Amino acid sequence: MNRPEREAAARQIMERVPSPPVPPDLHAEVVRRGGRMLRRRTAVRRLLWLVLLAGAVAFTVWAVTARPWVEPPSQTTPPLTGW
């Protein structure tokens, strides 16, 4: 499709009968739904940050109490010699 054909096709599209008018209350409905979506997204984001923070606190408490980096005590006693 060369340039004159594209221009003719674009003119045909623009000269068509316009689409039906937009309902007057559509804008208010869209704004209401958009606000609700933003509030929901913000609440989910805050909840995820709270869960992440709770996980970090739980891990820290576990690490401080369990001390996994310390070698566990020996379960056997060394032989007693030289008595």
Side-chain angles (χ1 to χ4, degrees):
M1 188 179 244
N2 57 17
R3 183 177 178 150
E5 291 174 351
R6 286 194 311 250
E7 288 176 359
R11 280 194 195 96
Q12 280 182 340
I13 292 172
M14 290 188 285
E15 290 172 355
R16 287 185 191 162
V17 177
S19 60
V22 176
D25 61 338
L26 182 65
H27 179 265
E29 180 69 19
V30 169
V31 168
R32 185 180 66 80
R33 286 186 182 183
R36 184 170 49 192
M37 284 174 43
L38 285 175
R39 284 190 303 274
R40 189 176 298 158
R41 190 176 298 157
T42 302
V44 168
R45 190 178 301 127
R46 286 180 182 170
L47 179 66
L48 288 176
W49 276 110
L50 182 66
V51 167
L52 181 68
L53 178 66
V57 168
F59 175 77
T60 303
V61 168
W62 170 79
V64 166
T65 57
R67 297 183 356 174
W69 55 88
V70 176
E71 185 177 328
S74 175
Q75 298 296 326
T76 60
T77 57
L80 292 175
T81 57
W83 265 59

